[in-house]
Amino acid sequence: MKEITLKLQGKIKRLTNDTFKFDERVGEGWFSAVYFLKTKKIAERHKADNIITMQFFQKKHAVLCGTDEVIALIKTFAEKPEELEIYSLKDGDKIAPFETVLTIKGHYQQFGFLEGVIDGILARRTSVATNVYEVVKAAKSSGVEKPVIFMGDRDDHFTQQAGDGYAAFIGGSQAQATHAMNEWWGKKGMGTMPHALIQLFEGDVVEATKAYQETFPDDELMALVDYNNDVITDSLKVAREFGDKLKGVRVDTSKTLVDQYFFRNPEVLGTFDPRGINPTLLFALRKALDEEGFQHVKIVVSGGFDAKRIEEYEKLGAPVDIYGVGSSLLKIHIGFTGDNVLLNGKPEAKTGRIYRPNPRLEKIEFDD
């Protein structure tokens, strides 16, 4: 049973290294900035008895993620972690600019070398969670909640998929492209067909879809229809062939192309950019499917979508049922800072930084 299940059942409070599986070299300082390692040695030699309080914050309205991972990191690699006093918010908490999300109290040499690693975990996880949250919010802005598929596998190094998938889950996406993205939170990856499958059948979308159905008969049948840059023609072909068995069509038209529909209907041009996916094309696709009795066929769009674009589509009432989103969700735009703000219980920090207590923080017990 995955730890996330135990957490959701209330049997554990936080995920542990059983989920995260840290690189053991963290404890050797391999991933820490060298000046932290040098400060650790100086503290051991000259200021071993000092007690410092370190606090972490960022500067935007955001959805916090990475706290379980950070706490597991401290418990795994800090020296005598049971002696540390840790307070933290939770993954999924909404946070404000400059709000303290985590404090650690103890001897600097016990944990100070982990400062940069902690900042990095919180920055990446919170950025992804916040990006996904904004996209999910945009996708239901019309009043109808529409699924968002997290398709970030090709936009970053594969080793980041498990953590990014968990952050996406915290942000509100429960459909993800790879099994690795689901590793920390329990489901399997989902997906239908890439352009490569249609290429194997020389551009014949119907034959490619037949092969898919024969090979994966238990899957919901979803056809990719932009391979030939004629989404309406190919959507109708697969709809006529598969009828009620066809659950949806996915449009992934490149933003450098203009679909063949516009060359057949030039009178609709002149007031918008016809390249790539656009609401006019989707309205025409929905109309064509409905007129032939295929109202049940859903329209899935992917390629270049972010929260702003989705919100625009929703305001227009564009007939989209599911959004596939990738690169925009992985932009790291939230940076965290760890500051030493108390020395032996008294204020002591760089100019401009002060101790900011936060009543929302919960104490972390070492036995959790």
Side-chain angles (χ1 to χ4, degrees):
M1 181 182 294
K2 288 187 178 293
E3 281 194 317
I4 189 68
T5 302
L6 297 174
K7 182 177 177 180
L8 293 174
Q9 292 175 349
K11 295 180 180 178
I12 61 173
K13 290 185 178 180
R14 301 273 180 171
L15 304 180
T16 74
N17 195 28
D18 287 345
T19 291
F20 304 120
K21 300 177 176 63
F22 295 120
D23 188 321
E24 289 298 322
R25 293 175 297 174
V26 172
E28 301 167 8
W30 188 249
F31 300 98
S32 296
V34 171
Y35 61 11
F36 290 138
L37 302 178
K38 290 180 176 179
T39 302
K40 179 178 185 296
K41 287 186 175 294
I42 294 170
E44 288 170 341
R45 179 173 295 185
H46 295 283
K47 296 291 182 178
D49 295 332
N50 276 347
I51 299 293
I52 63 103
T53 298
M54 185 182 294
Q55 73 181 10
F56 293 82
F57 71 96
Q58 54 82 57
K59 300 177 182 179
K60 298 185 178 182
H61 290 282
V63 177
L64 180 63
C65 188
T67 62
D68 283 13
E69 193 173 354
V70 164
I71 291 164
L73 181 95
I74 296 167
K75 289 183 176 182
T76 304
F77 296 113
E79 296 178 7
K80 299 180 180 179
E82 68 279 4
E83 295 181 357
L84 298 175
E85 190 175 302
I86 305 170
Y87 288 82
S88 176
L89 294 180
K90 298 178 181 178
D91 289 350
D93 282 346
K94 307 288 177 50
I95 55 175
F98 297 98
E99 181 177 8
T100 300
V101 303
L102 171 74
T103 62
I104 312 167
K105 180 180 178 182
H107 298 296
Y108 181 87
Q109 60 269 26
Q110 291 177 282
F111 68 93
F113 71 101
L114 296 172
E115 177 184 334
V117 182
I118 293 170
D119 284 335
I121 290 172
L122 294 174
R124 186 179 188 98
R125 302 294 180 245
T126 300
S127 291
V128 174
T130 302
N131 293 339
V132 172
Y133 172 78
E134 295 296 337
V135 162
V136 170
K137 183 172 68 172
K140 59 183 178 182
S141 59
S142 65
V144 178
E145 189 164 352
K146 299 178 180 180
V148 172
I149 304 173
F150 180 52
M151 302 172 68
D153 54 295
R154 67 184 60 197
D155 298 300
D156 204 355
H157 197 278
F158 71 92
T159 56
Q160 300 300 319
Q161 288 186 18
D164 289 342
Y166 171 73
F169 166 70
I170 293 297
S173 173
Q174 298 192 25
Q176 304 186 9
T178 74
H179 297 317
M181 291 174 181
N182 297 263
E183 179 182 356
W184 292 1
W185 65 277
K187 288 190 176 182
K188 291 185 177 180
M190 63 159 294
T192 52
M193 63 176 68
H195 295 101
L197 176 61
I198 301 171
Q199 188 258 2
L200 293 173
F201 289 86
E202 300 176 342
D204 192 324
V205 178
V206 172
E207 288 304 310
T209 307
K210 282 182 181 178
Y212 184 95
Q213 184 188 42
E214 291 174 5
T215 308
F216 300 100
D218 296 330
D219 280 12
E220 288 194 344
L221 193 60
M222 190 85 65
L224 180 60
V225 293
D226 65 278
Y227 185 91
N228 298 304
N229 196 38
D230 195 349
V231 301
I232 294 176
T233 298
D234 279 347
S235 293
L236 291 175
K237 282 182 180 179
V238 291
R240 291 164 185 161
E241 179 70 28
F242 297 98
D244 292 342
K245 294 179 181 179
L246 181 68
K247 301 302 181 183
V249 293
R250 179 164 72 93
V251 183
D252 190 43
T253 305
S254 169
K255 62 183 178 181
T256 62
L257 295 176
V258 176
D259 189 271
Q260 291 298 316
Y261 167 78
F262 294 112
F263 294 101
R264 294 192 296 269
N265 300 272
E267 69 278 4
V268 305
L269 297 171
T271 59
F272 64 95
D273 186 347
R275 294 174 298 175
I277 301 171
N278 57 78
T280 301
L281 178 61
L282 299 177
F283 279 119
L285 173 58
R286 182 75 272 164
K287 183 173 182 289
L289 289 168
D290 291 350
E291 285 179 348
E292 293 203 20
F294 303 120
Q295 293 89 347
H296 67 282
V297 175
K298 294 181 178 180
I299 296 176
V300 183
V301 296
S302 58
F305 281 88
D306 57 16
K308 181 179 178 181
R309 188 179 179 193
I310 291 173
E311 189 172 3
E312 291 172 353
Y313 274 51
E314 291 300 295
K315 284 181 180 179
L316 292 171
V320 177
D321 297 291
I322 300 173
Y323 290 96
V325 190
S327 61
S328 69
L329 300 180
L330 297 180
K331 292 180 180 178
I332 310 304
H333 63 102
I334 296 173
F336 278 78
T337 298
D339 283 322
N340 293 344
V341 290
L342 297 179
L343 178 64
N344 299 321
K346 297 179 180 180
E348 181 63 48
K350 66 176 281 188
T351 301
R353 299 290 164 81
I354 60 172
Y355 176 49
R356 297 177 183 270
N358 184 356
R360 295 209 294 152
L361 299 176
E362 72 169 15
K363 187 174 183 180
I364 304 301
E365 302 297 340
F366 185 78
D367 292 334
D368 283 349

